[in-house]
Amino acid sequence: MTIHHLKEDRSLTVVTLSLGKQVLAIPAVRLREILDPMPVTRVPGAGPLVPAVLNVRGTVVPLANLKQVLRIPETEADDRRRILVLDVTIAGEAAVVAVEADAVHEVATIETAIIEPVPAAASAWPPEYLTGLYRGGEGFVLMPDLDHILSVLAQRPMA
Amino acid sequence: MMDDMTAIFREEVRDLLESLERGLLDLKSRPDDMGLVNQVFRDLHTVKGSGAMFGFTELSAFIHEFETVFDKVRSGHLAVGPDLLRLALAAKDEIPGLVEGEADPEGRRVAILSGLHGLLGGAPVAEAVAEMAPAEAGPTGDGALRLTFRLTGAALALGARPDLVLDELRGLGAVEIAADLADVPPLDRLDVEACAFGWKMVLPASVTAAQVEEVFLFVDADWSLDAVAAETVETVVDVVAVPVPEAAPAAKAASPKAPVERPVAKVEAKVEPKAETKTEAKTEAKSEAGATIRVPAERLDALMDSVGELVIAEARLAQLARDLRDPALIATAEQITRLAGGLRDATMTMRMVPMRSLVGRFRRLVLDLSDKLGKPVEFRVTGEDTELDKTVIEKLADPLVHVLRNALDHGMEMPEARVAAGKSREGLVELVAEHAGAEVLIKVRDDGKGMDPAKLREKAIAKGLILPETQMTEAQIFALIFEPGFSTAEAVTDLSGRGVGMDVVRRTIDALRGTIQIESALGRGTTVTLRLPLTLAIIEGLQIEVAGEQYILPMPNVQEIVELPPEKAEPSRTEDFLDVRGGFVPFLRLRQLFDCAGTPGAGQNVVIVRAGEARVGIVVDRIIGTNQTVIKQMSKLHAGVRALSGATLLGNGSIALILDVGHLVGMSRQQGDAAQAVRQEVLA
């Protein structure tokens, strides 16, 4: 999804969440459910980016580590930790993926006019993985390009 | 509503086209089989009829021409020949496009139609002569029926469609349909609302009055059905017998491709079987319609999913019942287990599809390829009724196309070379499908030139795929053709030879949890054997534990379980072999393979698994037991993890990963090679 797609509508409803100290926003239409932390099954040989699978109501759903992908430093987990189950498109096919968040904040409606493209010089995050960003109450809120991230992850070499 | 109807029509057309193609291909080998001709005609007629009903007029018009040709074949005026079949197959290929309303910018359809017209036109003299004979009853023979009918009263005004009635009668086998103009009044006395025409025709003897009555059920008409008098038939034979030999040379001159000199005796001889096949086919079709229901595939998938959930819930219930030790609960749980088992088996059976559904496509492929390559080939299929899970069947089409192409393009020699080698001119390609335990074997066998292991080896070395000093068995050398970028053809053709095909074959078969094996004898041919699991949905699994993690091994692959001798407990580079009753079996340590933390306790077990001909031992911490495993595919994000073929849910809701035995066996082979290298180093 490009920033232009996002700006086709005047406003956008997003879910905001924290990964480490960074705040991110994901379009609310993508969100299926938010789960409390639960046991996951390690997938040997899958690498640290998509390290495990979990059982979401009878379906086996992969768990992606967005912090690793976006190069956000780990912080200590507390009881605000949640698992978000998201509808995504991986290499053109609909799929369900779970991501861990250190905290989920709120569902908010933002004006798409405030979304800005990621400056190419913003070396803190891989710009190719972000659709855009906007200035929130406490600093920048990143909007990850989930479909692109996961399509790239599906291509990664595995054991 | 209309969309639903056209969807049904499309599906029907797809089935009919399949049947039509099969009929046409069978006609190639049995051109005189009137049963086949009738089947083809019936299929065409049905497509045309329902096409018209759903407003596909262009389609109907196209098929009408096509059908006319087969009407001529049916009535014995045209013989089935290679040209006719080629055109008919090409015409068949146009039908899906017509259904989808695609344009035909290259004018293929027109070309096909004019080709078909050419076939018809090739026999004008004979036809004319035959039509001159007043009651030409060649195809109907003794006891043929003559039907005359006339629309009465205000039938036309009430919407009767004589053309549809005639179509239906044609469906019953009517030939020599002619209009009866005797009662057409002079123009000044013509009543424009009444139908002054009558029709007469000859029906096969097998048609009953009841069938005719059915045709006229909704039409106001006077009709009569009489047996054609025996003496008339005799005179007819006389009449026909004289002109045909005369007509033949004339027809030949007009078009050498249309063999019309069909001896009348032969036509007569065909009469009885024809009538029989027709009735037989009719009853068959009727009983089939009563016994089968068409269900969209998604519903079957949904059912399978529910059954999968049920099996998992049932496992949980059984565990709870055991824990709670309540006899009543245990009894109920056992009953549920039985019922769930029955439901599971029934559902799996529903998903089974015979190989037949694929084979039609292959026959066509082989026919086209053998034409294109100039290599005459007989394609023999055995075990068309062998059933496989529908998902497996769907995914099997592509790899089999590659294997068949390879057999024809690379395996088969040119006819001259075959003759020089003392073989028959015509090659033989066989497709054999059969059950073997929980697996299905599909073999593609050709009697072509076979593969030369020495040549393959040289080539692999030249391509850098193997080292010159690598020791390999013949089977391993043949397996090289599945390596990406390996192609043995001297010339790259547009059919195969780019070295991509076989690579795809192995990937697909791997994904289906199957194995491939190649045997080849130089000069005598090659056999490619695909081994596939019967189903991809639920398997019997052996649950094992490694460092607290649960994994499943498919039971059909498990051969035996032995204890790991204490002296082998420590990992070693060279000694990871077990002596299992005189045979050496290499083994893999899952803990090592999966980077598990901690050290194993005492009493590890080795599960000996088999894939194809190879065996490998898998060292695990603990054997938990067997269970019904509902296979869930891994997502795209984990598709690259080759050691796993899927995941399943356990009774307690946690996930166990299913190990891919074929891949593990392959890994042990690589490791074995490495170990051998180490041993050689030590010895040197």
Side-chain angles (χ1 to χ4, degrees):
Chain A
M1 189 185 294
T2 64
I3 191 162
H4 304 289
H5 279 113
L6 280 184
K7 289 189 182 251
E8 274 167 17
D9 293 314
R10 295 211 19 217
S11 62
L12 178 72
T13 307
V14 295
V15 184
T16 56
L17 54 117
S18 285
L19 291 183
K21 292 200 172 82
Q22 180 62 55
V23 179
L24 283 87
I26 290 172
V29 288
R30 297 301 194 94
L31 183 66
R32 277 204 170 190
E33 55 186 317
I34 300 174
L35 302 171
D36 285 335
M38 59 190 289
V40 299
T41 304
R42 179 179 78 102
V43 180
L49 302 178
V50 195
V53 287
L54 63 150
N55 172 5
V56 179
R57 296 177 208 287
T59 27
V60 176
V61 174
L63 179 72
N65 188 339
L66 279 188
K67 249 188 274 184
Q68 284 265 351
V69 177
L70 296 172
R71 301 203 290 262
I72 297 169
E74 283 285 344
T75 46
E76 204 150 304
D78 56 26
D79 59 0
R80 293 186 302 156
R81 197 160 205 183
R82 296 288 180 274
I83 294 170
L84 280 78
V85 183
L86 306 170
D87 282 314
V88 293
T89 310
I90 302 179
E93 262 177 56
V96 178
V97 165
V99 296
E100 263 181 324
D102 290 312
V104 177
H105 305 298
E106 58 167 358
V107 173
T109 302
I110 56 165
E111 299 292 317
T112 54
I114 66 169
I115 303 175
E116 292 166 34
V118 182
S123 55
W125 325 285
E128 71 272 23
Y129 288 157
L130 299 175
T131 317
L133 45 77
Y134 64 90
R135 210 178 291 268
E138 297 162 48
F140 283 113
V141 178
L142 302 186
M143 306 190 69
D145 187 347
L146 290 171
D147 294 351
H148 180 64
I149 292 174
L150 294 166
S151 301
V152 170
L153 284 186
Q155 298 297 318
R156 78 195 190 283
M158 281 172 265
Chain B
M1 177 64 193
M2 200 55 202
D3 278 353
D4 278 5
M5 297 302 277
T6 49
I8 291 172
F9 168 67
R10 267 166 213 188
E11 200 159 305
E12 196 183 300
V13 167
R14 206 165 42 233
D15 285 359
L16 286 166
L17 287 182
E18 230 168 69
S19 154
L20 177 64
E21 180 163 66
R22 200 159 54 229
L24 289 172
L25 291 170
D26 283 344
L27 269 178
K28 193 192 169 215
S29 45
R30 305 202 300 276
D32 291 330
D33 190 330
M34 275 299 160
L36 285 175
V37 173
N38 279 326
Q39 183 217 319
V40 167
F41 184 80
R42 257 199 314 276
D43 291 341
L44 282 172
H45 191 74
T46 317
V47 177
K48 181 177 98 169
S50 25
M53 201 155 89
F54 289 105
F56 293 87
T57 42
E58 206 184 324
L59 172 75
S60 295
F62 180 78
I63 297 181
H64 181 76
E65 303 289 328
F66 191 173
E67 187 192 59
T68 312
V69 173
F70 273 87
D71 195 25
K72 290 285 179 233
V73 174
R74 213 162 61 120
S75 53
H77 288 114
L78 194 65
V80 175
D83 284 330
L84 173 68
L85 288 179
R86 195 175 41 76
L87 281 168
L89 282 169
K92 181 239 129 201
D93 289 345
E94 291 301 318
I95 293 175
L98 280 160
V99 171
E100 297 306 326
E102 284 165 19
D104 177 27
E106 294 138 57
R108 281 197 312 271
R109 288 168 201 158
V110 178
I112 291 166
L113 285 186
S114 64
L116 289 171
H117 273 301
L119 290 176
L120 287 178
V125 184
E127 227 178 90
V129 170
E131 254 150 37
M132 257 155 41
E136 199 273 327
T140 43
D142 277 343
L145 301 170
R146 170 166 292 288
L147 173 74
T148 55
F149 78 90
R150 189 168 277 289
L151 300 181
T152 51
L156 276 190
L158 290 173
R161 296 267 307 268
D163 52 333
L164 295 182
V165 172
L166 287 171
D167 271 353
E168 269 189 73
L169 289 167
R170 249 179 232 127
L172 287 176
V175 288
E176 293 311 315
I177 301 173
D180 176 4
L181 307 179
D183 285 354
V184 178
L187 200 55
D188 53 338
R189 262 178 282 155
L190 186 70
D191 174 2
V192 288
E193 297 213 325
C195 179
F197 284 11
W199 281 271
K200 53 188 178 188
M201 67 204 67
V202 178
L203 285 171
S206 57
V207 173
T208 62
Q211 282 173 307
V212 178
E213 200 169 323
E214 217 173 280
V215 173
F216 290 107
L217 201 56
F218 300 109
V219 183
D220 243 342
D222 278 338
W223 56 273
S224 69
L225 190 63
D226 311 294
V228 175
E231 50 182 51
T232 331
V233 172
E234 260 180 43
T235 42
V236 167
V237 171
D238 278 354
V239 174
V240 178
V242 180
V244 164
E246 282 174 13
K252 262 190 182 160
S255 157
K257 284 173 193 159
V260 280
E261 75 270 53
R262 215 172 226 283
V264 173
K266 198 171 166 194
V267 177
E268 293 266 286
K270 287 274 174 278
V271 169
E272 290 254 51
K274 178 199 166 189
E276 266 173 32
T277 1
K278 188 151 176 108
T279 22
E280 254 169 46
K282 262 228 145 75
T283 34
E284 209 175 89
K286 257 187 197 147
S287 64
E288 243 173 50
T292 33
I293 299 177
R294 207 175 264 281
V295 180
E298 309 89 72
R299 286 196 208 167
L300 272 188
D301 288 343
L303 178 62
M304 193 69 228
D305 281 351
S306 301
V307 170
E309 304 290 315
L310 176 68
V311 169
I312 291 164
E314 173 262 307
R316 182 182 272 169
L317 176 66
Q319 195 172 348
L320 277 177
R322 274 195 303 274
D323 295 350
L324 294 173
R325 294 168 184 241
D326 179 335
L329 182 59
I330 291 175
T332 315
E334 276 171 4
Q335 197 179 355
I336 300 273
T337 304
R338 246 195 337 274
L339 290 173
L343 188 57
R344 182 199 67 224
D345 290 347
T347 312
M348 305 243 281
T349 323
M350 262 187 244
R351 292 168 55 93
M352 297 306 249
V353 179
M355 279 291 288
R356 183 183 306 283
S357 53
L358 273 185
V359 167
R361 188 171 344 169
F362 296 151
R363 287 212 260 196
R364 180 67 190 280
L365 173 84
V366 172
L367 183 77
D368 287 352
L369 277 182
S370 100
D371 273 359
K372 200 163 179 180
L373 296 166
K375 300 175 182 176
V377 163
E378 186 194 341
F379 185 47
R380 209 180 281 165
V381 182
T382 7
E384 277 179 282
D385 291 323
T386 310
E387 289 185 326
L388 272 159
D389 190 274
K390 77 175 181 55
T391 339
V392 182
I393 289 266
E394 282 159 15
K395 294 195 177 146
L396 207 51
D398 278 353
L400 276 177
V401 164
H402 283 301
V403 173
L404 281 170
R405 265 190 193 160
N406 237 45
L408 269 112
D409 200 7
H410 303 325
M412 208 47 81
E413 314 93 325
M414 292 308 285
E416 306 78 53
R418 287 183 62 87
V419 173
K423 298 195 225 179
S424 61
R425 234 183 96 77
E426 196 183 53
L428 175 67
V429 174
E430 265 185 296
L431 179 71
V432 181
E434 61 192 11
H435 282 288
E439 289 179 324
V440 169
L441 300 189
I442 297 172
K443 294 185 185 165
V444 176
R445 191 180 297 143
D446 67 67
D447 68 345
K449 57 178 178 261
M451 292 192 293
D452 186 349
K455 219 169 155 186
L456 283 178
R457 207 189 135 85
E458 258 170 49
K459 184 149 184 189
I461 293 169
K463 294 214 165 212
L465 290 171
I466 53 169
L467 292 172
E469 59 272 21
T470 317
Q471 296 288 318
M472 289 177 99
T473 63
E474 225 169 64
Q476 282 171 328
I477 294 177
F478 291 143
L480 284 172
I481 66 166
F482 295 114
E483 291 301 322
F486 190 92
S487 170
T488 57
E490 271 96 44
V492 169
T493 67
D494 66 330
L495 302 169
S496 45
R498 277 163 301 220
V500 287
M502 293 312 250
D503 175 30
V504 172
V505 173
R506 185 166 64 180
R507 268 215 309 279
T508 320
I509 301 299
D510 275 356
L512 291 171
R513 294 189 293 110
T515 57
I516 312 178
Q517 203 185 324
I518 299 183
E519 289 153 76
S520 187
L522 196 56
R524 275 180 295 152
T526 304
T527 305
V528 177
T529 307
L530 310 180
R531 274 169 193 275
L532 294 158
L534 271 184
T535 173
L536 290 179
I538 299 188
I539 55 164
E540 184 82 18
L542 179 71
Q543 189 181 339
I544 54 161
E545 191 181 288
V546 181
E549 295 174 334
Q550 308 292 315
Y551 295 95
I552 302 282
L553 282 163
M555 262 318 250
N557 294 108
V558 175
Q559 265 195 332
E560 59 184 306
I561 300 169
V562 296
E563 265 177 44
L564 183 71
E567 71 271 17
K568 305 253 183 194
E570 282 303 308
S572 129
R573 280 174 81 198
T574 53
E575 300 299 319
D576 278 358
F577 279 87
L578 272 186
D579 182 0
V580 181
R581 282 189 294 280
F584 278 98
V585 180
F587 61 81
L588 295 168
R589 296 168 197 271
L590 274 193
R591 272 179 172 269
Q592 229 176 351
L593 197 62
F594 289 168
D595 294 321
C596 298
T599 47
Q604 293 184 88
N605 284 305
V606 185
V607 183
I608 314 267
V609 292
R610 186 185 60 92
E613 299 306 309
R615 291 193 299 171
V616 65
I618 294 175
V619 181
V620 304
D621 287 4
R622 217 149 65 92
I623 307 286
I624 307 292
T626 59
N627 56 18
Q628 289 296 326
T629 304
V630 181
I631 301 176
K632 311 248 176 193
Q633 296 298 319
M634 297 296 269
S635 74
K636 276 197 172 163
L637 295 175
H638 288 132
V641 183
R642 301 279 309 274
L644 303 173
S645 61
T648 190
L649 299 180
L650 298 174
N652 63 6
S654 68
I655 296 173
L657 301 172
I658 303 167
L659 300 176
D660 184 335
V661 170
H663 182 70
L664 291 177
V665 169
M667 281 182 70
S668 98
R669 214 179 274 151
Q670 285 168 12
Q671 213 171 67
D673 289 347
Q676 204 172 5
V678 171
R679 266 197 300 275
Q680 276 165 353
E681 249 168 60
V682 172
L683 289 174

